[in-house]
Amino acid sequence: MAARKARTRKPPAAQCKPCKGTGEVSRTVRVGRKHREVGEQTGLCLNCFGTGEQPTA
Ligand SMILES: [Zn+2]
């Protein structure tokens, strides 16, 4: 049995899903009672808080 070299190779940080690793998420902005869409707005991803990495909890 050949001795295996133990490599401590750290896998790359998992990409945050909601923002796809960008740290920002675009959300549709709606206004009024009819919720008319007025455009998109980018906001900080609340899942990774802008890091773009999937938090390991
Ligand atoms: Zn994120």
Side-chain angles (χ1 to χ4, degrees):
M1 197 170 157
R4 263 196 193 174
K5 249 188 186 175
R7 253 195 207 170
T8 49
R9 199 169 169 193
K10 207 176 171 188
Q15 213 173 55
C16 178
K17 277 175 194 166
C19 65
K20 299 182 188 72
T22 60
E24 285 182 344
V25 284
S26 58
R27 60 188 87 188
T28 312
V29 181
R30 294 188 174 92
V31 289
R33 286 189 297 174
K34 286 188 174 179
H35 292 285
R36 185 169 60 94
E37 291 181 11
V38 291
E40 283 196 346
Q41 195 178 45
T42 43
L44 191 76
C45 177
L46 294 178
N47 190 53
C48 64
F49 295 104
T51 60
E53 291 175 11
Q54 180 72 28
T56 49

